[in-house]
Amino acid sequence: MYELPKAKNPDLRSFAFITMHKAGSSIADRIFRVYAKHAGLVPANLAERAKALGAQEGEFCRDNADKLCANGYYFGPF
């Protein structure tokens, strides 16, 4: 199970970035990360974490989907 990093501002609503492959997601992610940082949100990339752990991305994200309800995070890209 994945443990989210501590939220800096748990009163802020989180947001998730969902995109299609090869749709400019890397550039958009960089922009959203800057926005998130200035807004006080902590980045939490479940797909990136799955790869780092050598886990199956879809299964890992499904198993940790409850984390998307937490406040204070920028989730994505998916």
Side-chain angles (χ1 to χ4, degrees), residues 23-70:
S25 57
S26 295
I27 293 168
D29 180 49
R30 289 185 205 142
I31 294 167
F32 287 141
R33 283 181 179 267
V34 170
Y35 164 78
K37 181 180 178 182
H38 287 292
L41 298 171
V42 174
N45 189 328
L46 297 179
E48 187 176 88
R49 185 68 179 150
K51 288 179 189 175
L53 293 172
Q56 180 73 302
E57 183 180 332
E59 184 177 318
F60 183 86
C61 291
R62 184 191 69 234
D63 291 346
N64 290 282
D66 63 316
K67 307 291 191 290
L68 298 173
C69 296

